[in-house]
């Protein structure tokens, strides 16, 4: 016996195929559908989910259900590989929610997407995987019992020694007792925030800002105060000073001065020093996120704000995830005057960081191969940026502004104001392309017409074709529901 939701879905499909509902036309609300067919609201909801799954309908954020371009979709599915034709099952509307945006976005990672341009790492072949694997195998053969030992302490001394030498290249003078190894920069940021603020306090963040930071701030019961960035300059120091003069309860400023995510801007040295003076004058803590610091396209390593910190006011967070080994999830934090608090927070959070990964990284860095790897990675990133920019300028709607990074691997696209990049993502994913909608980079609903692309992969005809198809869909989205050929 067919379920009632399937019967209602079948009737609607017949109506849609008979053009009783045109492409782009709004469908009845869930309650209207339930009343018309004499079913419950939950049954009507399941009916629409079935139509979404089959490509006949799609939801628009805060607007309702609309008829999708089902003919083009079904035609594309017949000619596409099976992996691409399978629709992604995720709650798109929840991407607008701070509580759910990370889980929903990262649900895309598990999908068979030929162009997963929403990810936060470079192409796997751009990392020194073979060298790291050989080192790991050597350690495991020599001491397999090490896997049965529980890690403890604030970090492997050998890794700390190599890390301190590397941090000296951006002007940081540190001792082993100043460094705490963490489970990635995410944990470093979490314990840094917990050490400086309590629920109800306010944290200044850049705007646009990495969505994971916004979710962390909310989960800790804190409030984010967004301060805009200036193109090519990073955080607007004038806007920061105004915000600090007019808002109480601010406990810290979180900034990414070197190659900010998602804009890729690098603050000039004078601006970095002025930023430190501002937080000192207001008796605040600066939490510096420097995960992209190694990835400048035109410079080896810009100095960190921490390099000018003389009173321990800067909490410095970093990671190997962007530069050496994303899978290792090894990060670090230098807590300055709050370092002992961070150690306590770290122990209560996860006890210790993985030991084998630290051993592998220590040996790799000691071998002297890291500088050559970083030079090659920077060159690859720098080479692909102009190709991607040219492709965007050629195929995206007139008026699209593309921000190319000084470092890292993001392109930030500002499309015409009427473009809804969250709605466009549905169409893109159905055809194997993913990006990050701009609305995720704000807690207040900004940047709905923007999107972030990760272009850290070898340039290829498939990459060019994917960006062309995405751009053409964005062009059509201004007048009708976007489709991709």
């Amino acid at each position: 016996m067919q379920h009632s939701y399937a019967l209602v879905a079948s009737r609607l499909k017949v109506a849609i195929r008979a053009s009783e509902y045109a492409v782009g036309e709004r469908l009845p609300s869930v309650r209207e559908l339930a009343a018309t067919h004499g079913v419950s609201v939950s049954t009507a909801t399941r009916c629409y989910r079935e139509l979404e799954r089959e490509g006949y309908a799609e939801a628009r954020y805060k607007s309702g259900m609309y008829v999708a371009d089902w003919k083009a979709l079904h035609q594309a599915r017949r000619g596409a590989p099976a992996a691409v034709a399978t629709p992604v099952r995720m709650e798109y509307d929840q991407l607008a929610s701070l509580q759910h945006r990370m889980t929903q976005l990262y649900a895309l990672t598990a999908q068979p997407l030929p162009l997963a341009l929403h990810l936060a790492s470079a192409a796997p072949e751009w990392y020194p995987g073979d060298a790291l694997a050989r080192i790991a195998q050597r350690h495991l053969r020599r001491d397999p019992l090490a896997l049965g030992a529980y890690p403890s302490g604030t970090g492997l001394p050998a890794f700390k020694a190599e890390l301190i030498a590397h941090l000296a290249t951006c002007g940081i003078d540190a001792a082993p007792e100043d460094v705490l190894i963490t489970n990635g920069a995410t944990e470093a940021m979490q314990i840094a925030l917990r050490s400086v603020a309590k629920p109800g306090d306010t944290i200044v963040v850049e705007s646009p800002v990495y969505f994971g930071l916004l979710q962390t701030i909310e989960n800790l019961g804190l409030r984010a105060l967004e301060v805009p960035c200036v193109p090519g300059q990073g955080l607007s120091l004038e806007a920061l000073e105004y915000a600090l003069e007019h808002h109480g309860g601010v406990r810290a400023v979180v900034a990414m001065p070197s190659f900010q995510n998602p804009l890729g801007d690098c603050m000039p040295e004078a601006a970095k020093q002025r930023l430190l003076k501002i937080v000192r004058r207001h008796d605040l803590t600066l939490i510096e996120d420097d995960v992209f610091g190694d990835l400048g396209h035109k410079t080896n390593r810009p100095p960190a704000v921490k390099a000018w910190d003389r009173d321990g006011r800067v909490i410095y967070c970093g990671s190997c995830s962007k530069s050496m080994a994303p899978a290792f999830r090894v990060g670090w934090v230098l807590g300055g005057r709050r370092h002992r608090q961070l150690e306590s927070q770290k122990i209560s959070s996860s006890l210790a960081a993985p030991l084998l990964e630290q051993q592998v990284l220590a040996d790799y860095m000691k071998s002297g191969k890291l500088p050559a790897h970083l030079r090659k990675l920077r060159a690859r990133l720098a080479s692909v940026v102009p190709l991607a920019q040219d492709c965007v300028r050629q195929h995206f709607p007139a008026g699209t502004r593309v921000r190319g990074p000084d470092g890292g691997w993001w392109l930030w696209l500002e499309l015409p104001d009427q473009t809804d990049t969250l709605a466009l993502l549905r169409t893109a994913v159905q055809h194997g392309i993913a990006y990050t909608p701009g609305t995720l980079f704000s807690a207040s609903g900004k940047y709905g017409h923007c999107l972030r692309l990760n272009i850290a992969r070898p340039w290829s005809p498939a990459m060019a074709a994917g960006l062309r198809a995405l751009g053409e869909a964005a062009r059509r989205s201004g007048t009708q529901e976007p489709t991709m050929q």
Side-chain angles (χ1 to χ4, degrees), residues 197-273:
K198 61 183 183 300
D201 288 341
T202 299
I203 305 296
V204 170
V205 301
E206 299 160 316
S207 184
V209 65
Y210 168 54
F211 49 86
L213 175 60
L214 292 175
Q215 188 162 339
T216 296
I217 287 173
E218 179 168 275
N219 288 342
L220 294 175
L222 307 175
R223 299 173 180 173
L225 174 60
E226 298 180 44
V227 172
C229 289
V230 177
Q233 299 289 314
L235 182 68
S236 169
L237 299 182
E238 289 73 18
L240 173 63
E241 294 205 76
Y242 180 88
L244 294 178
E245 291 290 343
H246 293 83
H247 290 82
V250 175
R251 293 291 176 262
V253 176
V254 179
M256 190 177 283
S258 296
F259 317 124
Q260 192 258 3
N261 178 8
L263 301 179
D265 293 330
C266 185
M267 293 182 76
E269 290 188 24
K272 290 181 178 180
Q273 295 180 59

Side-chain angles (χ1 to χ4, degrees), residues 454-473:
N454 181 347
I455 56 170
R457 59 177 60 213
W459 190 254
S460 66
M463 181 76 162
L467 291 184
R468 180 176 65 249
L470 181 59
E472 291 171 354

Side-chain angles (χ1 to χ4, degrees), residues 25-364:
E25 183 178 346
R26 190 178 187 277
L27 291 165
S29 70
V30 170
R31 293 189 180 279
E32 289 170 344
L33 185 68
T36 300
H37 293 273
V39 296
S40 67
V41 169
S42 62
T43 296
T45 301
R46 291 190 67 187
C47 164
Y48 275 144
R49 286 180 177 171
E50 178 71 9
L51 290 176
E52 272 196 290
R53 187 185 67 81
E54 295 187 13
Y56 286 94
E58 60 183 17
R60 297 184 190 175
Y61 183 55
K62 292 185 178 180
S63 182
M65 297 298 299
Y66 290 77
V67 178
D69 192 346
W70 56 275
K71 290 183 180 179
L73 175 60
H74 291 185
Q75 195 172 42
R77 285 180 178 174
R78 285 195 293 271
V84 178
T86 302
V88 176
R89 296 189 179 185
M90 57 180 293
E91 300 292 335
Y92 284 91
D93 290 347
Q94 290 192 9
L95 281 169
S97 163
L98 275 177
Q99 282 296 323
H100 303 290
R101 61 181 56 172
M102 281 195 72
T103 55
Q104 290 303 315
L105 185 69
Y106 278 86
L108 293 175
T109 305
Q111 307 301 323
L113 296 169
L115 285 178
L117 307 183
H118 67 295
L119 299 174
S121 62
E125 61 267 29
W126 284 8
Y127 293 104
D130 289 342
L132 296 174
R134 287 193 295 270
I135 295 170
Q137 290 164 2
R138 187 167 64 244
H139 274 286
L140 291 172
R141 284 195 301 267
R142 186 171 60 213
D143 187 15
L145 294 180
L147 293 179
Y150 213 87
S152 61
T154 60
L156 183 71
F159 176 55
K160 282 190 177 186
E162 298 301 326
L163 178 60
I164 287 169
H166 180 64
L167 292 178
T169 64
C170 64
I172 296 177
D173 181 17
E177 59 270 20
D178 300 326
V179 180
L180 176 63
I181 306 303
T182 61
N183 291 282
T186 298
E187 184 183 46
M189 181 62 64
Q190 288 173 346
I191 62 176
L193 288 168
R194 286 164 56 193
S195 74
V196 301
K198 61 183 183 300
D201 288 341
T202 299
I203 305 296
V204 170
V205 301
E206 299 160 316
S207 184
V209 65
Y210 168 54
F211 49 86
L213 175 60
L214 292 175
Q215 188 162 339
T216 296
I217 287 173
E218 179 168 275
N219 288 342
L220 294 175
L222 307 175
R223 299 173 180 173
L225 174 60
E226 298 180 44
V227 172
C229 289
V230 177
Q233 299 289 314
L235 182 68
S236 169
L237 299 182
E238 289 73 18
L240 173 63
E241 294 205 76
Y242 180 88
L244 294 178
E245 291 290 343
H246 293 83
H247 290 82
V250 175
R251 293 291 176 262
V253 176
V254 179
M256 190 177 283
S258 296
F259 317 124
Q260 192 258 3
N261 178 8
L263 301 179
D265 293 330
C266 185
M267 293 182 76
E269 290 188 24
K272 290 181 178 180
Q273 295 180 59
R274 182 181 164 196
L275 172 60
L276 183 57
K277 290 178 181 177
I278 291 172
V279 296
R280 183 180 293 126
R281 185 166 66 251
H282 289 270
D283 194 24
L284 302 175
T285 296
L286 172 64
I287 303 177
E288 181 177 13
D289 185 347
D290 200 28
V291 296
F292 285 99
D294 280 318
L295 303 182
H297 297 171
K298 300 178 182 178
T299 180
N300 287 337
R301 193 67 161 79
V305 177
K306 183 68 175 176
W308 292 286
D309 182 25
R310 298 293 177 264
D311 59 355
R313 189 173 295 276
V314 178
I315 299 178
Y316 178 88
C317 302
S319 169
C320 76
S321 295
K322 313 304 178 188
S323 56
M324 287 185 277
F328 277 12
R329 307 303 305 146
V330 173
W332 47 85
V333 59
L334 284 67
R337 61 171 69 173
R338 296 183 180 272
H339 198 76
R340 294 292 173 251
Q341 280 179 270
L342 267 70
E343 286 186 5
S344 177
Q345 296 281 4
K346 163 64 181 173
I347 291 173
S348 66
S349 173
S350 61
L351 293 180
L355 189 59
L356 176 62
E357 287 86 339
Q358 293 182 66
Q359 292 174 325
V360 172
L361 290 172
D363 284 5
Y364 178 74

